[in-house]
Amino acid sequence: MLGPFRLTDAAGRERTPRSAQQQCILAVLALSADAGVSRARLQDLFWGEKDPQLAAQSLRTALHGLRRSLENFGRPIIEIDANRARLVPGAVQVDLLEIARDGITALPSHARVEPPDLLEGANINAEPFEDWLRDQRSHWRDRIDALLEDDLVAPGQAAPLPKTPEPAPDTRPIVGLLAPVVHSRSFQTLYLGEALTDRIASGLRDYIGARTYDYRNLDGGDDLALITATGPDLYLRLRIYEAGGELSIRVLVLRQSTQELMWSVDGGPYAVDRASTDNAEILVLVGEIIERVAQSLAQLPNCGADMPMTPFHALTAMFQLDHTSLDDLRGSLTANWDLTGAPIYPALLAYLNTFRVGEHWHDFDQMLVDDTRRLISQVEDASHDGGIAFALAGHAKGYILHEHDAADHMLDRAIRMSPHSAFCWDHLALHYAYNGRYGDARGASQNALRIGDHSPIRFTLETTRCMIATLEGDFDTACALGKRVLSRRPNFGAALRYTSVSMAHLGDTDGAQDCIKRIRTMDPSFSVSWVQDERMAIRSDRAKNILIDGLILAGAK
C-alpha cells in the first residue's frame, strides 16, 4: 500500500485486481484490523452520494467481483457476510501494518530517501473515500517521518533506547453496540439498521470521546480483552419495524450492570423508500440519541475529572460564559493536547479564541490571530474522522482570520462527516450569515434547531437564528429570540449585540441601551467600531449598515 497498490501471492506473483475500486476497497479493509468494515460504512465511502437502493446494489456487485478476484489463492483471504467485510486474520501481510509493528526495519531501503504516498495514483470518483485517503496519507506520512528522524544517528553510534512510559489508563467511557433487531426481510432496511448503528457510534466517538465495543463483531478486535474486563458503561440497541411501506425505529439504552432499560427514543413512521441515514427526520433522531447518551455518560460516577476533556464537556463549559473559568479551560485543553496529541484539542483551543473576541474577554490583536492560525494548521494537517473538529476550526478561520473560502471548505467537510451534528449545522449557518447567504443560513439554522432540540447549549442555536434575523431586517423575530436567550445567559455577548441592534430598530431605545450597558461592564471600549473594524466578521454592506445604524441608535457610538 506504500506507493501504488499491489497484491502478490506467497510466491511473489502479481495478483493485483485490475479494478481501481476493488483495490481501494481492499485498502480500506486492510487498515481496519480484524474487526473489518460494515457494509454501511463501505457504502457511505464509495457510493454515499447515490440513492441508497442503487448504492446497496453497487456494493453487492463490487463485493461479488472482489470475492471472485481473490478466489485462487489456495486459501480464503476475505470474509463477507450480511453485515460486514474483512480480510481473514493472519491471511494477508500489509506493509504499513508491518512498519507500524516493526519500525524502520520494515521500511524498504528505496523508500527511505523519499517515502511514496499511500495508494499512489489511486483515483476514483468518490469524495468520502478521497477524504478518508487524504487523512490516511497524512497519518502514515507523519508516522514514517517520525521513524526516519529517530533513525538519524551518527555512524557507529547506537541509538539510545527510549524509556517507555507506563501508558495511562484509558478512562474514556465505553458504549456496547448490540446487534440491531430488524423486523423486515428488506435488504435496504437491514442496511439501515447497520448504518444507523455506525452513525451513532461515530457521533459518540466524535462528541463524547466514547470507545465503542461492537457486539455485531464477536471477534472484537485488539481491545476485546480490555473492554470485556471493564465492561461497557451502557449498551445501545436499535429495533426497526417495517409494515405497510413504513418504518418505525426504537433506540434503547440499557444500564451496564443489569441491562435494565435507562431510556428509549421512538422515531417514525418513515416511508421505506425515503428512509436513509441522510433523511432529515432520521438525522433528528440520531442527534437526539447522541445528545442523550452523552448526557447519560456524563452523569455516570466513573466519568469524572480523570477522563479526557471532550467536545461535549468543553463546549458546555465554554457556554457558561464565565471569564475565569474560560482561562482555566484553556489550561485544561492545552494539558489534554500535550498528553494525547489529538487534533480535537487545537480545534477547541482555536474555537476558544473566538470567545476571547466575541465575549469581550481579550483584545483582537495580532498575537491572537497568529495563535489561531497556528492552532488551525494543527487541525488541517491531522488525520481524524469526526466533523466537530472541522466545524470548530472552520468557525475560527472565518470569524478570526476572515479566510471565508477556506472556512467554507472546512465547514462543508464537517457536514459531510457529521450531518447528525447540530453544532456543525449551526456553525455552517453562522458562516452563511457572515457571507450574506441568508436563505442558506436559515436552512442550516433550522437543521441545527431540529437536531439540537435536546442539546444543553440549545440557546446558542437560538442565538444564531437571532443573528440571521437581525441581518435580514426581521427585527421582531430577532428580538423575541434574543430576549429568550438573555433570560438564560444575561451576559452572552453575541446575544446582547444583536438584540440591542434589533431593539433599537424597533424603537425600544431603553432596552437597546440596557444591552449596551451590560456589554460595557465586560468591555468598556465597545462601540460601533466593532463593525467598522471587521470584528463582527460581516461581509455584506447592507448588513453592516443595519448593525452600524442599530448600535448608534442604542448609544454605542
Side-chain angles (χ1 to χ4, degrees):
M1 290 175 61
L2 194 60
F5 183 91
R6 289 187 66 214
L7 179 65
T8 60
D9 61 19
R13 292 184 292 264
E14 187 73 30
R15 302 293 296 273
T16 306
R18 293 182 180 179
S19 161
Q21 189 176 70
Q22 288 183 7
Q23 294 175 23
C24 293
I25 293 174
L26 273 175
V28 172
L29 297 181
L31 293 183
S32 68
D34 292 349
V37 183
S38 71
R39 283 178 175 261
R41 173 64 172 153
L42 290 172
Q43 186 169 315
D44 285 343
L45 276 176
F46 292 96
W47 300 278
E49 297 174 0
K50 276 190 173 183
D51 171 83
Q53 286 184 303
L54 294 176
Q57 178 59 49
S58 297
L59 175 62
R60 286 197 295 273
T61 301
L63 291 178
H64 177 72
L66 183 58
R67 195 201 298 269
R68 294 195 61 182
S69 296
L70 304 176
E71 279 179 341
N72 300 318
F73 275 86
R75 59 177 294 188
I77 68 169
I78 189 169
E79 292 178 352
I80 301 169
D81 62 26
N83 298 322
R84 60 188 54 236
R86 70 170 184 171
L87 298 183
V88 174
V92 180
Q93 292 176 301
V94 181
D95 57 358
L96 290 175
L97 300 184
E98 291 187 344
I99 291 168
R101 184 191 65 206
D102 300 333
I104 195 69
T105 58
L107 184 65
S109 56
H110 69 270
R112 297 184 188 185
V113 178
E114 189 173 345
D117 266 337
L118 173 118
L119 298 185
E120 202 169 77
N123 183 22
I124 63 171
N125 186 24
E127 196 166 348
F129 172 77
E130 290 173 3
D131 288 341
W132 176 90
L133 181 57
R134 188 182 304 110
D135 287 343
Q136 290 293 330
R137 282 174 171 168
S138 173
H139 169 76
W140 287 101
R141 189 181 303 118
D142 288 347
R143 292 191 70 166
I144 291 170
D145 286 347
L147 288 172
L148 291 172
E149 287 175 12
D150 291 344
D151 195 50
L152 291 176
V153 180
Q157 180 180 344
L161 292 174
K163 293 182 180 179
T164 304
E166 285 293 322
D170 193 340
T171 56
R172 292 174 298 159
I174 302 170
V175 177
L177 305 173
L178 302 176
V181 177
V182 180
H183 297 272
S184 170
R185 295 183 178 180
S186 159
F187 182 85
Q188 181 180 348
T189 306
L190 292 169
Y191 161 78
L192 180 64
E194 298 293 334
L196 279 176
T197 302
D198 288 345
R199 174 145 287 173
I200 293 167
S202 173
L204 292 172
R205 288 191 293 268
D206 194 25
Y207 188 44
I208 195 70
R211 291 174 288 168
T212 53
Y213 175 51
D214 196 340
Y215 284 85
R216 296 173 296 172
N217 168 48
L218 296 180
D219 292 324
D222 294 337
D223 58 353
L224 171 62
L226 173 64
I227 292 177
T228 51
T230 56
D233 294 288
L234 54 81
Y235 296 91
L236 185 145
R237 167 162 272 157
L238 267 72
R239 293 184 180 274
I240 302 182
Y241 306 87
E242 180 178 345
E246 292 184 327
L247 296 179
S248 295
I249 300 172
R250 170 169 288 180
V251 181
L252 303 96
V253 171
L254 312 167
R255 295 185 193 280
Q256 179 267 344
S257 54
T258 60
Q259 291 209 23
E260 171 192 358
L261 181 67
M262 294 175 66
W263 49 264
S264 64
V265 176
D266 293 307
Y270 312 104
V272 170
D273 58 352
R274 293 199 299 273
S276 75
T277 54
D278 294 320
N279 175 284
E281 296 299 326
I282 290 178
L283 286 174
V284 170
L285 179 69
V286 173
E288 177 181 350
I289 293 160
I290 292 170
E291 287 288 358
R292 292 187 62 177
V293 170
Q295 292 171 48
S296 295
L297 289 172
Q299 293 166 8
L300 293 174
N302 59 333
C303 291
D306 58 342
M307 195 180 94
M309 182 74 72
T310 70
F312 172 80
H313 293 97
L315 292 170
T316 303
M318 284 185 206
F319 283 104
Q320 296 302 314
L321 303 173
D322 178 271
H323 288 190
T324 302
S325 298
L326 290 174
D327 272 325
D328 294 341
L329 180 61
R330 184 174 179 81
S332 296
L333 292 172
T334 302
N336 276 267
W337 186 18
D338 290 341
L339 182 67
T340 68
I344 191 63
Y345 295 111
L348 284 163
L349 285 163
Y351 188 74
L352 187 59
N353 279 351
T354 69
F355 276 69
R356 301 175 80 189
V357 176
E359 292 311 306
H360 307 274
W361 173 32
H362 191 283
D363 290 337
F364 190 12
D365 56 22
Q366 190 59 44
M367 185 179 295
L368 181 77
V369 171
D370 291 343
D371 182 57
T372 303
R373 181 171 283 111
R374 174 185 66 87
L375 292 166
I376 291 172
S377 71
Q378 298 295 318
V379 182
E380 293 172 319
D381 295 341
S383 171
H384 45 105
D385 59 3
I388 290 178
F390 285 109
L392 292 161
H395 177 66
K397 188 176 270 289
Y399 186 67
I400 294 180
L401 304 186
H402 299 161
E403 296 177 7
H404 296 285
D405 290 341
D408 188 83
H409 174 75
M410 295 188 82
L411 288 159
D412 176 70
R413 190 172 180 190
I415 292 297
R416 284 189 281 110
M417 297 174 82
S418 300
H420 51 267
S421 168
F423 182 86
C424 292
W425 280 110
D426 184 56
H427 286 75
L428 182 65
L430 283 170
H431 169 71
Y432 286 151
Y434 295 151
N435 288 274
R437 297 169 57 181
Y438 301 120
D440 291 334
R442 271 184 275 110
S445 177
Q446 182 180 20
N447 286 342
L449 286 163
R450 293 172 67 217
I451 293 172
D453 193 46
H454 290 78
S455 171
I457 56 172
R458 179 180 166 81
F459 68 91
T460 68
L461 314 181
E462 295 174 344
T463 303
T464 298
R465 183 70 189 91
C466 165
M467 294 166 64
I468 296 165
T470 302
L471 297 173
E472 287 190 290
D474 182 3
F475 303 123
D476 287 313
T477 298
C479 243
L481 287 165
K483 288 177 180 178
R484 188 159 68 200
V485 171
L486 291 171
S487 70
R488 283 169 281 174
R489 290 294 189 278
N491 294 320
F492 189 4
L496 284 168
R497 291 192 296 275
Y498 282 86
T499 305
S500 71
V501 169
S502 294
M503 284 179 165
H505 280 288
L506 290 173
D508 184 359
T509 306
D510 290 342
Q513 289 178 347
D514 178 66
C515 289
I516 298 301
K517 189 182 299 182
R518 281 193 258 170
I519 291 174
R520 284 181 168 166
T521 62
M522 300 181 287
D523 181 0
S525 65
F526 175 73
S527 72
V528 73
S529 65
W530 266 56
V531 183
Q532 296 161 339
D533 296 340
E534 307 293 343
R535 194 162 172 174
M536 292 177 76
I538 301 300
R539 301 180 79 183
S540 161
D541 288 338
R542 178 180 177 275
K544 285 180 181 178
N545 289 333
I546 287 174
L547 295 174
I548 290 169
D549 292 345
L551 289 172
I552 290 173
L553 288 169
K557 295 182 180 178

